[in-house]
């Protein structure tokens, strides 16, 4: 069975940022984001790639070292968006005899 790539633990990321900036909210505001943006980014894969890059830059570590499961080996982010498959019938399928009601 393949093992999940290990990166930094979320609490280690938070601790490092708190040591440098005092709080996650202070770091969020410093980079011009909402006060909860950094904590949401750490907790939620795919929440904000630009904030992940800001965190990596502040910690002086590559983004894929911090979150190897969120990035491909070439450094591009993994898409966490689920493709939408339409489930509704097309207009002509609603009519039995192809005549409008």
């Amino acid at each position: 069975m393949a093992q999940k790539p290990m990166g930094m633990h979320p609490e280690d990321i938070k601790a490092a940022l708190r040591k440098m900036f005092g709080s996650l909210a202070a770091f969020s505001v410093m980079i011009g984001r909402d006060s909860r943006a950094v904590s949401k980014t750490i907790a939620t894969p795919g929440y904000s790639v630009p904030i992940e890059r800001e965190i990596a830059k502040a910690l002086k570590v590559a983004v894929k070292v911090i979150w190897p499961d969120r990035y491909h080996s070439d450094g591009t982010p993994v898409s966490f968006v689920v493709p939408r498959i339409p489930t509704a019938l097309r207009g002509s399928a609603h009519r039995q005899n192809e005549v409008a009601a």
Side-chain angles (χ1 to χ4, degrees), residues 24-35:
L24 299 179
F27 178 64
S28 292
V29 172
M30 188 192 83
I31 62 172
R33 303 296 179 136
D34 179 68
S35 62

Side-chain angles (χ1 to χ4, degrees), residues 4-96:
K4 186 176 178 182
M6 297 298 294
M8 287 180 69
H9 192 278
E11 292 301 322
D12 293 334
I13 299 168
K14 291 177 190 178
L17 289 173
R18 285 184 186 122
K19 285 179 185 177
M20 297 170 83
F21 302 101
S23 70
L24 299 179
F27 178 64
S28 292
V29 172
M30 188 192 83
I31 62 172
R33 303 296 179 136
D34 179 68
S35 62
R36 295 173 302 228
V38 169
S39 51
K40 285 182 183 178
T41 301
I42 292 170
T44 310
Y47 180 76
S48 176
V49 172
I51 296 176
E52 288 176 356
R53 290 187 178 137
E54 287 290 333
I55 292 169
K57 188 165 65 170
L59 297 179
K60 297 180 177 96
V61 180
V63 183
K64 62 182 180 178
V65 172
I66 299 173
W67 293 289
D69 54 335
R70 297 184 188 186
Y71 287 85
H72 296 290
S73 59
D74 64 350
T76 58
V78 173
S79 177
F80 289 96
V81 178
V82 178
R84 184 179 175 277
I85 299 171
T87 57
L89 298 173
R90 295 191 183 266
S92 61
H94 287 284
R95 301 183 204 125
Q96 293 294 329

